[in-house]
Amino acid sequence: MGKHEDSFAGHIRPRQIRAGALRLRATFCLGGFSFLAFIVLTITGMLLLFYYQPGDSAFASLSELDSALPYGGLIRSLHFWAGQLMVITVFLHMVRVVWSRAYRPIRELNWITGVVLFGLTVMLDYSGYLLRGGQESGAAATVGQALITSLPGGKALATVFFGQPTPLNGSTLSMFVWHVFILAGAAGFLQMFHFWRVRRGGGVRPL
Ligand code: HEM
């Protein structure tokens, strides 16, 4: 057995931390709330997977899930609201990090990891909205496609993200793969890396 500090438990709950790092003002627990939202999203998302049908019947499968399944609507609402909350808490967490200047060396790698996590969080929210497959999703897809296509090399980029360069016509299959496997998987992995880097950077930097 190694020292407590080298073990997993010692990493998550080290014996010594910087003075003041536990004060509410140091973090407002915003990173923690973001992680909590992510856990709720993962659990409710996995439950939704049992019923959701990607592709052309997405909208119909969700309507049925709302009305026919016990607690279906509740699980769907929890997933939706945890998603909105996560966008807000991640953003505020970022503001806190800027406020306490915790982006500076030696924490710059974790800042960059955070920027990627913020991008992933927004893309998860967006792709999740498209997964509804309803009319508003179609409108949101059209706006997103126009935005991406206006970038240099945007047409190819739009094809990669949307699965096709033209409007989606209700199909949600490519969004499903991005949302459930690629974006959520990358966000989960990067969060583990993020937490590891928090400790390697000497823990939270209180102002
Ligand atoms: C999935 C989203 C994220 C989660 C779950 C998360 C979680 C956390 C947690 C739990 C901490 C420990 C301190 C605290 O709670 O404030 C932390 C620290 C930190 N986070 Fe995040 N974070 C996320 C996104 C971001 C973003 C968007 C940024 C900035 C672009 C960022 C930059 C940092 C930095 C630099 C630290 C170290 C802060 C310090 O040492 O004071 N994180 N993060």
Side-chain angles (χ1 to χ4, degrees):
M1 286 280 275
K3 286 191 303 180
H4 173 76
E5 279 65 26
D6 296 334
S7 68
F8 179 73
H11 182 73
I12 296 293
R13 306 206 60 177
R15 287 212 175 103
Q16 291 179 332
I17 53 167
R18 208 176 283 256
L22 283 183
R23 289 170 81 176
L24 185 63
R25 247 212 350 237
T27 62
F28 297 101
C29 207
L30 287 163
F33 283 132
S34 309
F35 184 50
L36 179 67
F38 187 75
I39 292 173
V40 172
L41 283 162
T42 307
I43 295 171
T44 52
M46 273 162 44
L47 291 173
L48 290 174
L49 280 183
F50 281 96
Y51 212 78
Y52 177 79
Q53 287 172 24
D56 296 339
S57 33
F59 190 79
S61 74
L62 285 174
S63 309
E64 201 169 297
L65 186 145
D66 273 340
S67 54
L69 278 191
Y71 303 110
L74 176 72
I75 290 166
R76 198 180 157 195
S77 296
L78 275 174
H79 194 75
F80 174 79
W81 285 110
Q84 309 318 304
L85 210 73
M86 183 166 168
V87 173
I88 296 169
T89 53
V90 168
F91 177 75
L92 291 178
H93 171 57
M94 203 166 159
V95 171
R96 191 290 288 177
V97 167
V98 174
W99 181 47
S100 48
R101 299 201 204 119
Y103 49 81
R104 294 190 297 192
I106 52 173
R107 296 182 175 79
E108 64 269 60
L109 179 59
N110 225 12
W111 167 260
I112 294 165
T113 309
V115 172
V116 178
L117 275 170
F118 180 65
L120 286 173
T121 307
V122 172
M123 278 160 79
L124 273 162
D125 205 27
Y126 176 69
S127 57
Y129 190 71
L130 297 197
L131 281 189
R132 292 178 167 185
Q135 238 169 37
E136 308 98 321
S137 308
T142 308
V143 173
Q145 274 177 328
L147 273 174
I148 297 182
T149 311
S150 67
L151 296 171
K155 207 164 171 141
L157 216 63
T159 313
V160 172
F161 192 57
F162 291 94
Q164 58 196 62
T166 50
L168 289 179
N169 294 326
S171 171
T172 63
L173 191 58
S174 58
M175 270 311 119
F176 180 72
V177 175
W178 279 104
H179 186 80
V180 175
F181 298 103
I182 305 175
L183 297 174
F189 175 79
L190 273 188
Q191 280 172 83
M192 296 306 117
F193 180 76
H194 196 62
F195 302 155
W196 177 69
R197 286 307 311 174
V198 171
R199 289 285 172 242
R200 280 292 171 271
V204 171
R205 181 182 186 282
L207 205 63

